[in-house]
């Protein structure tokens, strides 16, 4: 191995890091200058490019006119909260999805409506479709409980949006806290459990056929239903997940349309990738207060090579969200907004801007903050759910009179496996 | 179903850690207020290692209201953009009310007639339901069902006009009561209410009234229960052998400071001047002045006889004698001025029949009698004299009770503006004769039925020893921090939150605490408007000033000799020609006659 190759290998193993930091410190100003220059070039070129091609739009913030004009209209906001229960076994869950519907300018008692649209305190999943029974072999359970919980939260929120729309069709704009459409592939690997019949019915609002009770088909079904009924629902994403899917997609799209030569495309992508800056980071310096990117359709289920074989056909038909970034004011970062394709978004953007400006320091729609607090499962409730769940699990285990299963249940519920109870028996 | 388990009465749920002193609960919107009495059912153990349900009574001492859905940032934006919250998507309906309850005690769940309150010995159960008791239950709690005990009706619970509040009459008349409030807080209204309640019982009352606040009782005496007599007295300083020192006190405090020789001389003439009981102080002082004058004359004539050697200049020089005489003359003129002031004030109240105050020693029956209210109208006199009068009267009446002469019944004394009669040490107590008298009455009065009602707007300026002897307090609005902390220091059972609420009271709202009630209560004092004086009250000074007419003669003569002479007069003097007019100042020019004259004079001087 050549010397340089050996050094790179050593660095990859974590060596030379101290020396590298020293070098960065001494070379700091120069590196910093290079970074600034690079980002400035990127932002400047992107700015000119986006504006020249009409990809940046602006919405005026004039609250004195905007809010009185909304008098009597209903706006809905949806968010979910998950109880912090760390128990093994059958994916114990405490989820609450709340909605907040408000009519600005209405001074009657019916101005506001807070409602827990959906709450689960249950084992969300069964080992086999449509059953609550404990599986024969507990070791066969799906281990990645964080994934189970995420899947439950994602589908609950969108299910609650559907429930809210079915109940309140007077809502002019509905905002959901988080992405409107999430990647479904991570929740489709083998052994990822099905929902129980009751849970699936509660989510969809109608009985669901056994083969449809899995996350991948059910989530898609709910999304399609929501899109089909024309619910004016928008996902507003608080935290930037990293990556540049929007800007890269934009460049690809323009190239595909023949508006951007290959060489320019390559140069643009190289610029974007050099420092691994995210969409939000770059657009933060490109967009001005009240500006947003013209929404663009982003494929959310890619890459296809990671699709589980069982669900390839289902994943290929998922809807893609129209995605944009809105910068609410000079001092805060832009955030992502998602809508169904074909949805009229201009009115929603105005509402999102006006509600985000009500939190000038935080720069995020205030009503989503309200519904977030409403839906949040408090720690005392989480503890209560955990305790009840332990009791139910133990009772079920002891009802079986199977000593092995009982011990297993106790072991699962104990804090640590190294406990006096599990000392080796003679 | 009992009211305590009726869900209709439920107003909240106990949260957090509880103790035997207090607990907190989350309150349903608009279901209770600070000061409200609430109840909760909780199991408490008994002596037999069993437990049973008891009603835990408490009073809401604070409520914290929080809207977690309303970020401060949003408030800033609303203000900046001049937006109404209701026009936006912000929420107003999710208030979170956390009420703190001070536990009063516990009673049996199944008490039928009267509820005996016992100290709570076991904490309230968390998550217990908190209930707003019906008026009938609070009535029972306050002991209203015990009809045999005489009560003084004060008003209603603050915010619960359906629950009447009364004080224990016996505790008030034997254990003393202090009514404390800043100006405008309603202390006179409260005192009048209690006085009227005492009148209902036919209890004798003596009121020392420096401002005439209680003259309305006389004016509206026809509304009082039959047989009630209201007498108005104006003060008259009188001397007797026993209280002859009053004159030297007056001299010491009103007159100039005397030298040792002057003091000796004064004592000498006092000892030589006989005083008949009930002699007016001014007459007696006049006699002393005459005696001093005679001495001075004798010294001046230098014709003193051998037997008059004590008056001879050998012992007291003419300067000493004249100095004493001047001091006495000064005191006399001050005293007479005050008597005159008092008379003028009384003359304004023509409908009121004032009597010279009786000799409290000789005729106590004229002051204290069954169904009699005696009001000493002290207006016109300075604090020292007022204090002397209070001291004299109270001392004499107390002596009658203490000596068991059986001449006067027990009575209640009301002292308005008490800070002038029982000032704290910092205020210079040695100048206040009434201080020691009141101290004596308040410490021993319990035995002899001479109760006190002390009323003041500056509690911090009151004598602490006296105030701590008051077993009951009615404290209305107080804002001054010194007053509030002083009140807290003398009222053992006033909590910090109670002290904080004092400044928020409106007129007539207050807290009553001590032996006269079972536990501290927030009250709204009933206002007896019918007994307000139509002559004395809040005067409209702005109106008076606007319609003020200067004394006619004074106005006519203003400038009689200082303004410019009239034309006719000027013509007689002859300087300007008869045709010319006196130039007005506004028409004057630099070259007019006045200026010229002045210049000429100046030149002449040069």
């Amino acid at each position: 191995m050549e010397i340089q190759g050996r050094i790179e290998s050593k660095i990859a193993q974590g060596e030379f890091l101290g020396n590298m930091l020293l070098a960065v410190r001494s070379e700091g100003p120069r590196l910093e200058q290079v970074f600034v220059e690079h980002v400035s070039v990127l932002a400047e070129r992107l700015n000119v490019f986006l504006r020249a091609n009409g990809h940046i739009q602006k919405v005026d913030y004039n609250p004195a006119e905007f809010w009185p004009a909304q008098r009597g209209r209903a706006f809905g906001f949806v968010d979910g909260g998950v109880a912090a229960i760390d128990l093994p076994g059958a994916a114990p869950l405490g989820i609450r999805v709340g909605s907040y519907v408000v009519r600005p300018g209405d001074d009657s008692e019916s101005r506001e409506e807070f409602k827990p649209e959906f709450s689960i305190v249950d084992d969300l999943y069964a080992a086999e479709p449509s059953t609550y029974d404990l599986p024969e072999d507990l070791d066969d359970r799906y281990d990645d409980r964080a994934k189970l919980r995420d899947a439950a939260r994602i589908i609950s929120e969108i299910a609650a949006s559907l429930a809210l729309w079915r109940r309140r069709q007077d809502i002019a704009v509905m905002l959901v806290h988080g992405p409107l459409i999430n990647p479904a592939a991570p929740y489709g690997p083998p052994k990822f459990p099905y929902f129980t019949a009751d849970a699936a019915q509660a989510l969809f609002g109608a009985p669901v056929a056994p083969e449809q009770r899995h996350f991948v088909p059910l989530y898609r079904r709910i999304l399609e239903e929501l899109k089909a009924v024309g619910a004016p629902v928008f996902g507003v994403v608080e935290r930037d997940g990293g990556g540049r899917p929007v800007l890269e997609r934009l460049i690809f799209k323009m190239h595909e349309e023949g508006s951007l030569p290959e060489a320019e495309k390559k140069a643009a992508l190289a610029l974007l990738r050099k420092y691994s800056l995210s969409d939000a980071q770059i657009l933060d310096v490109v967009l001005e207060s009240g500006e947003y990117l013209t929404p663009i359709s982003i494929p959310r289920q890619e890459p296809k090579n990671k699709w589980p074989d069982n669900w390839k056909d289902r994943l290929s038909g998922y809807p893609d969200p129209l995605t944009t970034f809105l910068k609410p004011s000079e001092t805060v970062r832009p955030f992502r907004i998602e809508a169904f394709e074909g949805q009229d978004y201009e009115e929603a953007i105005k509402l999102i801007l006006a509600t985000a400006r009500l939190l000038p320091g935080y720069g995020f729609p205030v009503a989503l903050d309200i519904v977030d607090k409403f839906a949040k499962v408090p720690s005392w409730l989480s503890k209560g759910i955990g305790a009840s769940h332990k009791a139910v699990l133990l009772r079920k285990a002891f009802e079986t009179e199977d000593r092995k299963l009982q011990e297993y249940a106790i072991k699962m519920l104990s804090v640590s496996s190294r406990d006096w109870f599990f000392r080796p028996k003679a | 179903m009992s009211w305590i388990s009726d869900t209709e009465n439920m107003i909240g749920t106990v949260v957090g850690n509880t103790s035997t002193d207090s607990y907190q609960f989350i309150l349903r919107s608009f279901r209770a207020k600070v000061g409200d009495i609430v109840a909760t059912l909780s199991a408490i153990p008994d002596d037999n290692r069993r437990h049973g349900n008891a009603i835990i009574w408490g009073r809401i001492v604070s409520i914290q209201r929080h809207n977690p859905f309303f970020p401060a940032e949003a408030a800033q934006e609303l203000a900046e953009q001049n937006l109404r919250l209701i026009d936006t998507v912000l929420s107003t309906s999710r208030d979170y009310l956390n009420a703190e309850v001070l536990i009063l005690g516990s009673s049996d769940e199944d008490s039928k007639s009267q509820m005996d309150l016992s100290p709570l010995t076991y904490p309230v159960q968390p998550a217990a339901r908190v209930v707003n008791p019906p008026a009938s239950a609070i009535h029972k709690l306050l002991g209203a069902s015990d009809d045999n005990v005489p009560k003084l009706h004060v008003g209603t619970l603050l915010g619960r006009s359906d629950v009447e509040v009364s004080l224990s009459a016996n505790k008030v008349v034997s254990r003393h009561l202090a009514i404390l409030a800043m100006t405008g807080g309603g202390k006179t209204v409260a005192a009048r209410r209690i006085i009227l309640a005492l009148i209902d019982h036919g209890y004798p009352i003596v009121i020392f009234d420096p401002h005439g606040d209680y003259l309305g009782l006389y004016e509206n005496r026809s509304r009082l229960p039959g047989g009630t007599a209201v007498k108005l007295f104006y003060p008259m300083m009188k001397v007797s052998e026993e209280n002859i020192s009053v004159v030297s006190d007056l001299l010491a405090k009103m007159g100039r400071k005397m030298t040792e020789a002057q003091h000796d001389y004064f004592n000498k003439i006092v000892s030589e001047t006989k005083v008949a009981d009930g002699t007016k102080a001014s007459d007696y002082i006049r006699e002393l002045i005459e005696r001093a004058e005679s001495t001075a004359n004798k010294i001046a004539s230098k014709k003193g006889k051998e037997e008059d050697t004590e008056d001879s200049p050998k012992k007291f020089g003419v300067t000493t004698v004249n100095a004493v005489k001047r001091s006495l003359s000064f005191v006399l003129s001050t005293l007479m001025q005050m008597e005159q002031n008092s008379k003028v004030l009384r003359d304004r109240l023509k409908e009121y029949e004032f009597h010279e105050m009786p000799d409290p020693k000789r005729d106590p029956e004229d002051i204290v009698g069954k169904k009699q209210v005696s009001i000493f109208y002290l207006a016109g006199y300075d604090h020292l004299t007022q204090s002397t009068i209070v001291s004299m009267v109270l001392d004499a009446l107390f002596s009658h009770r203490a000596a068991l002469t059986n001449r006067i019944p027990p009575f209640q004394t009301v002292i308005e503006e008490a800070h002038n009669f029982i000032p704290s040490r910092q205020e210079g107590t040695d100048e206040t004769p009434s201080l020691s008298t009141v101290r004596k009455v308040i410490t021993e009065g319990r035995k002899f039925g001479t109760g006190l009602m002390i009323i003041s707007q500056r509690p911090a300026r009151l004598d602490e020893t006296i105030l701590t002897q008051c077993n009951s307090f009615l404290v209305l609005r107080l804002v001054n921090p010194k007053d509030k902390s002083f009140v807290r220091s003398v009222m053992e059972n006033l909590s910090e939150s109670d002290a904080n609420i004092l400044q928020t009271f409106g007129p007539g709202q207050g807290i009553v605490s001590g032996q006269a009630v079972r536990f501290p209560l927030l009250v709204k004092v009933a206002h007896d408007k019918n007994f307000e004086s139509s002559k004395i009250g809040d005067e409209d000074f702005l109106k008076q000033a606007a319609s003020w007419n200067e004394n006619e003669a004074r106005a006519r003569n203003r400038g009689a000799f200082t303004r410019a002479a009239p034309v006719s007069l000027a013509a007689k003097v002859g300087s300007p020609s008869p045709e010319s007019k006196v130039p007005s100042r506004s028409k004057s020019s630099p070259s007019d006659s006045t200026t010229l004259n002045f210049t000429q004079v100046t030149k002449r001087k040069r």
Side-chain angles (χ1 to χ4, degrees):
Chain A
M1 192 184 279
E2 286 187 16
I3 298 250
Q4 189 179 344
R6 281 161 63 187
I7 289 174
E8 282 174 0
S9 162
K10 289 280 177 191
I11 289 171
Q13 290 165 23
E15 293 184 29
F16 294 113
L17 284 178
N19 311 60
M20 278 176 69
L21 283 173
L22 276 174
V24 166
R25 206 176 73 173
S26 61
E27 292 289 307
R30 196 180 64 80
L31 290 176
E32 195 179 292
Q33 188 58 34
V34 169
F35 179 82
V36 170
E37 280 170 12
H38 175 87
V39 175
S40 301
V41 167
L42 168 63
E44 193 63 48
R45 293 197 173 176
L46 205 58
N47 188 23
V48 172
F49 170 74
L50 291 172
R51 288 181 197 280
N53 290 284
H55 287 300
I56 291 179
Q57 299 183 44
K58 186 172 174 69
V59 55
D60 287 331
Y61 176 61
N62 190 347
E65 283 180 14
F66 175 80
W67 286 115
Q70 310 309 314
R71 187 162 295 170
R73 304 182 76 200
F75 299 113
F77 306 90
V78 176
D79 191 20
V82 181
I85 310 167
D86 191 19
L87 278 178
L93 270 172
I95 286 186
R96 181 163 71 178
V97 185
S99 69
Y100 169 49
V101 181
V102 58
R103 273 204 302 264
D106 180 356
D107 55 5
S108 72
E109 283 195 0
S110 60
R111 176 183 183 267
E112 298 169 24
E113 180 198 83
F114 284 91
K115 192 169 187 296
E117 291 289 343
F118 196 81
S119 48
I120 310 169
V121 183
D122 205 347
D123 277 1
L124 192 65
Y125 303 101
E128 298 298 327
S130 65
T131 175
Y132 276 119
D133 292 342
L134 281 171
E136 291 290 317
D137 185 356
L138 282 165
D139 287 334
D140 280 352
R141 312 279 334 221
Y142 189 75
D143 277 343
D144 193 345
R145 287 189 294 278
K147 276 265 164 52
L148 293 175
R149 201 173 292 151
D150 278 351
R153 183 182 52 76
I154 288 167
I155 200 166
S156 307
E157 285 179 358
I158 207 70
S161 306
L162 181 59
L164 175 59
W165 175 251
R166 281 174 176 157
R167 192 165 51 79
R168 292 282 303 258
Q169 296 200 2
D170 60 328
I171 291 174
V173 176
M174 187 194 303
L175 304 186
V176 183
H177 196 169
L180 179 66
I181 300 169
N182 286 275
Y187 311 104
K191 285 195 180 179
F192 195 91
Y194 280 64
F195 295 111
T196 62
D198 288 349
Q201 181 170 348
L203 288 165
F204 187 63
V208 180
E211 70 279 5
Q212 292 275 328
R213 291 176 198 155
H214 190 275
F215 178 87
V216 176
L218 189 58
Y219 183 47
R220 177 175 159 181
R221 194 168 169 196
I222 295 171
L223 284 171
E224 284 174 344
E225 175 76 9
L226 204 54
K227 189 180 176 188
V229 295
V233 57
F234 295 80
V236 187
V237 186
E238 190 170 3
R239 290 182 195 88
D240 180 18
R244 299 160 300 280
V246 175
L247 289 174
E248 285 183 352
R249 177 70 201 134
L250 185 71
I251 287 163
F252 274 116
K253 188 169 166 256
M254 288 194 65
H255 175 64
E256 284 160 16
E257 289 168 355
S259 310
L260 194 66
E262 176 69 21
E264 293 300 321
K265 182 195 88 174
K266 280 186 175 170
L269 292 175
L271 263 175
L272 284 173
R273 283 170 189 160
K274 182 158 187 185
Y275 282 102
S276 266
L277 294 171
S278 68
D279 280 336
Q281 283 173 314
I282 300 165
L283 290 171
D284 192 18
V285 290
V286 170
L287 296 176
E288 289 180 9
S289 175
E291 286 186 339
Y292 64 100
L293 215 57
T294 304
I296 180 172
S297 179
I298 304 289
R300 288 288 276 161
Q301 306 305 332
E302 290 189 348
K304 288 179 182 169
N305 59 358
K306 291 198 174 173
W307 286 1
D309 290 341
N310 288 355
W311 301 111
K312 275 186 175 165
D313 57 330
R314 299 286 177 151
L315 287 166
S316 68
Y318 256 76
D320 289 327
L322 275 180
T323 306
T324 180
F325 277 86
L326 167 71
K327 187 172 167 73
S329 71
E330 202 53 56
T331 52
V332 293
R333 238 187 213 194
F335 52 79
R336 196 167 91 223
I337 303 167
E338 293 183 1
F340 286 122
E341 283 184 284
Q343 182 68 255
D344 179 18
Y345 54 81
E346 283 182 10
E347 191 187 3
I349 297 271
K350 282 182 189 168
L351 175 76
I352 293 168
L353 175 68
T355 53
R357 288 295 291 262
L358 284 172
L359 287 183
Y362 192 60
F364 193 72
V366 68
L368 285 176
D369 180 60
I370 291 171
V371 74
D372 175 274
K373 284 172 180 158
F374 171 66
K376 190 181 178 194
V377 181
S379 59
W380 58 265
L381 191 55
S382 295
K383 282 179 195 163
I385 295 168
S388 304
H389 196 87
K390 279 180 186 175
V392 169
L393 201 62
L394 269 180
R395 195 166 59 232
K396 282 194 173 181
F398 278 82
E399 277 168 7
T400 64
E401 295 185 356
D402 176 349
R403 184 66 196 154
K404 194 181 162 197
L405 187 66
Q406 290 169 5
E407 280 193 11
Y408 191 84
I410 293 167
K411 190 175 176 180
M412 280 199 307
L413 298 179
S414 67
V415 177
S416 157
S417 60
R418 187 164 293 153
D419 193 283
W420 63 270
F421 195 79
F422 303 115
R423 279 187 185 159
K425 293 180 176 69
Chain B
M1 184 168 49
S2 159
W3 59 267
I4 190 79
S5 47
D6 186 351
T7 50
E8 285 292 305
N9 294 329
M10 181 183 169
I11 56 166
T13 308
V14 175
V15 291
N17 298 332
T18 64
S19 73
T20 52
D21 301 324
S22 65
Y23 64 86
Q24 296 193 347
F25 74 98
I26 300 300
L27 171 67
R28 278 171 71 183
S29 295
F30 303 113
R31 295 301 292 267
K33 314 175 291 301
V34 168
D36 278 2
I37 290 176
V38 294
T40 181
L41 201 62
S42 199
I44 54 174
D46 61 16
D47 297 339
N48 303 318
R49 297 194 176 182
R50 285 194 291 267
H51 63 269
N53 276 340
I55 298 174
I56 316 300
W57 294 89
R59 181 163 55 84
I60 299 177
V61 289
S62 70
I63 300 176
Q64 290 193 338
R65 186 173 177 176
H66 174 55
N67 182 353
F69 295 173
F70 182 55
E73 270 188 39
Q76 182 195 338
E77 186 68 4
L78 290 179
E80 291 283 342
Q81 301 292 342
N82 194 21
L83 297 174
R84 289 196 318 155
L85 183 146
I86 203 166
D87 286 338
T88 70
V89 292
L90 288 162
S91 170
T92 59
S93 64
R94 306 292 291 188
D95 284 357
Y96 178 87
L97 296 157
N98 192 346
E100 189 185 354
V101 175
L102 189 73
I103 291 173
L104 303 170
S106 66
S107 68
D108 286 343
E109 187 189 1
D110 50 0
S111 332
K112 296 293 178 215
S113 58
Q114 186 180 343
M115 290 182 195
D116 287 324
L117 213 54
S118 312
L120 184 63
T121 51
Y122 198 77
V124 170
Q125 182 190 350
R129 291 198 303 193
V130 181
V131 164
N132 195 6
S136 57
I138 301 178
H139 268 296
K140 276 203 276 182
L141 179 72
L142 299 182
S145 57
D146 193 356
D147 292 328
N148 298 325
V149 178
K151 294 183 201 65
L152 307 175
H153 174 240
V154 178
T156 57
L157 273 187
L158 190 56
R160 291 273 321 237
S161 54
D162 55 343
V163 181
E164 300 208 327
V165 175
S166 299
L167 308 182
S168 159
N170 274 320
K171 299 290 184 194
V172 169
V173 299
S174 63
R175 306 289 176 104
H176 318 295
L177 169 74
I179 300 175
L180 309 170
M182 64 179 287
T183 308
K187 58 186 185 309
T188 306
V189 169
R192 190 189 296 125
R193 173 85 288 280
I194 294 167
I195 290 167
L196 285 166
L198 284 168
I199 290 173
D200 286 341
H201 289 280
Y203 200 75
I205 300 165
V206 176
I207 302 172
F208 292 106
D209 186 2
H211 299 310
D213 293 329
Y214 301 93
L215 297 182
L217 292 173
Y218 177 84
E219 187 178 323
N220 301 290
R221 59 194 180 281
S222 59
R223 300 176 200 264
L224 294 173
T228 306
V230 181
K231 291 185 180 174
L232 300 183
F233 297 120
Y234 64 88
M236 186 52 70
M237 287 285 278
K238 291 190 175 172
V239 287
S240 61
E241 286 295 344
E242 289 89 359
N243 77 343
I244 199 71
S245 60
V246 164
V247 180
S248 55
D249 286 347
L250 290 176
L251 197 65
K253 283 152 197 170
M254 287 181 188
R256 295 181 187 85
K257 194 169 171 62
M258 290 195 289
T259 62
E260 201 173 322
Q262 288 166 1
H263 218 267
D264 287 348
Y265 177 69
F266 172 75
N267 285 339
K268 175 178 160 32
I269 56 173
V270 166
S271 64
E272 286 171 358
T273 312
K274 285 201 171 179
V275 58
D277 273 5
T279 306
K280 279 172 72 174
S282 51
D283 291 344
Y284 183 66
I285 293 171
R286 207 170 276 123
E287 273 188 57
L288 294 178
I289 291 170
E290 281 168 13
R291 185 167 281 271
E293 203 164 71
S294 135
T295 311
N297 289 340
K298 281 180 188 172
I299 296 167
S301 63
K302 295 181 181 174
K303 285 177 184 172
K305 295 176 183 172
E306 283 305 310
E307 53 268 35
D308 290 333
T309 47
E310 282 176 15
D311 284 353
S312 72
K314 285 174 195 166
K315 193 161 187 186
F316 299 110
V318 69
T319 322
T320 304
V321 174
N322 280 334
V324 171
K325 195 183 102 184
R326 277 198 302 276
S327 265
L328 282 167
S329 301
F330 182 73
V331 171
L332 179 64
S333 95
T334 309
L335 208 53
M336 289 180 69
Q337 183 61 51
M338 287 192 288
E339 283 174 9
Q340 180 61 24
N341 290 346
S342 170
K343 186 172 182 309
V344 170
L345 286 168
R346 291 197 313 273
D347 286 347
R348 285 187 186 172
L349 306 167
K350 285 199 174 68
E351 292 82 354
Y352 295 173
E353 191 183 348
F354 288 93
H355 301 278
E356 185 181 309
M357 69 178 227
D359 185 338
K361 205 162 255 179
R362 203 175 53 206
D363 305 310
E365 299 89 346
D366 289 347
I367 300 171
V368 179
K370 196 177 170 187
K371 292 189 174 183
Q372 180 178 324
V373 182
S374 298
I375 302 172
F376 287 78
Y377 182 44
L378 304 177
Y381 288 86
D382 67 2
H383 293 164
L384 175 69
T385 318
Q386 288 183 356
S387 169
T388 309
I389 291 158
V390 169
S391 173
M392 281 164 52
V393 175
L394 205 52
D395 199 44
L397 297 178
F398 178 74
S399 300
H400 279 291
R401 288 292 306 163
L404 306 174
T405 56
N406 218 17
R407 289 181 64 181
I408 53 171
F411 64 96
Q412 182 80 1
T413 306
V414 179
I415 303 180
E416 253 291 2
E417 304 285 345
H419 45 275
N420 292 331
F421 301 100
I422 47 169
S424 66
R425 199 167 295 156
Q426 292 91 322
E427 306 286 320
T429 50
D430 54 331
E431 292 186 4
T432 315
S434 51
L435 181 66
S436 56
T437 314
V438 175
R439 228 179 237 178
K440 183 170 65 182
V441 172
I442 206 154
T443 44
E444 298 178 36
R446 209 171 108 190
K447 294 178 279 187
F448 305 115
T450 53
L452 280 177
M453 196 194 299
I454 288 166
I455 302 154
S456 176
Q457 63 207 33
R458 286 306 313 273
R461 289 176 55 197
L462 292 173
D463 182 75
E464 194 170 345
T465 313
I466 291 177
L467 210 57
T468 46
Q469 291 292 319
C470 289
N471 286 149
S472 299
F473 291 87
L474 173 53
V475 186
L476 301 117
R477 183 173 158 85
L478 273 182
V479 172
N480 187 305
K482 273 187 190 170
D483 288 336
K484 282 196 295 180
S485 67
F486 181 75
V487 164
R488 249 203 106 186
S489 70
V490 293
M491 285 172 71
E492 292 151 7
N493 49 5
L494 191 74
S495 67
E496 190 179 348
S497 51
D498 285 339
N500 288 337
I501 203 177
L502 293 177
Q503 63 191 23
T504 66
F505 284 139
Q509 298 175 341
I511 184 164
V512 60
S513 146
Q515 294 187 353
V517 282
R518 292 180 132 194
F519 46 82
L521 294 168
L522 297 189
V523 292
K524 169 80 182 142
V525 177
H527 191 169
D528 301 284
K529 282 190 176 168
N530 288 342
F531 288 93
E532 284 180 351
S533 169
S534 61
K535 313 288 175 203
I536 295 175
D538 290 336
E539 279 124 349
D540 188 345
F541 292 116
L542 284 173
K543 201 173 167 185
Q544 278 185 34
S547 59
W548 189 260
N549 281 325
E550 197 175 10
N551 177 296
E552 191 270 329
R554 185 178 166 83
R556 180 166 17 95
N557 293 322
R558 187 177 295 282
F561 297 99
T562 53
R563 70 178 161 224
V567 176
S568 55
L569 192 62
K572 282 180 189 170
V573 173
S575 45
S577 66
E579 294 81 20
S580 70
K581 288 180 181 174
V582 176
S584 68
R585 286 174 72 99
S586 59
K587 286 178 181 172
S588 300
S589 67
S591 59
D592 70 10
S593 59
T594 316
T595 316
L596 280 172
N597 287 344
F598 182 73
T599 318
Q600 283 157 7
V601 171
T602 323
K603 277 180 182 170
R604 243 177 263 136
K605 273 191 176 176
R606 281 177 186 168

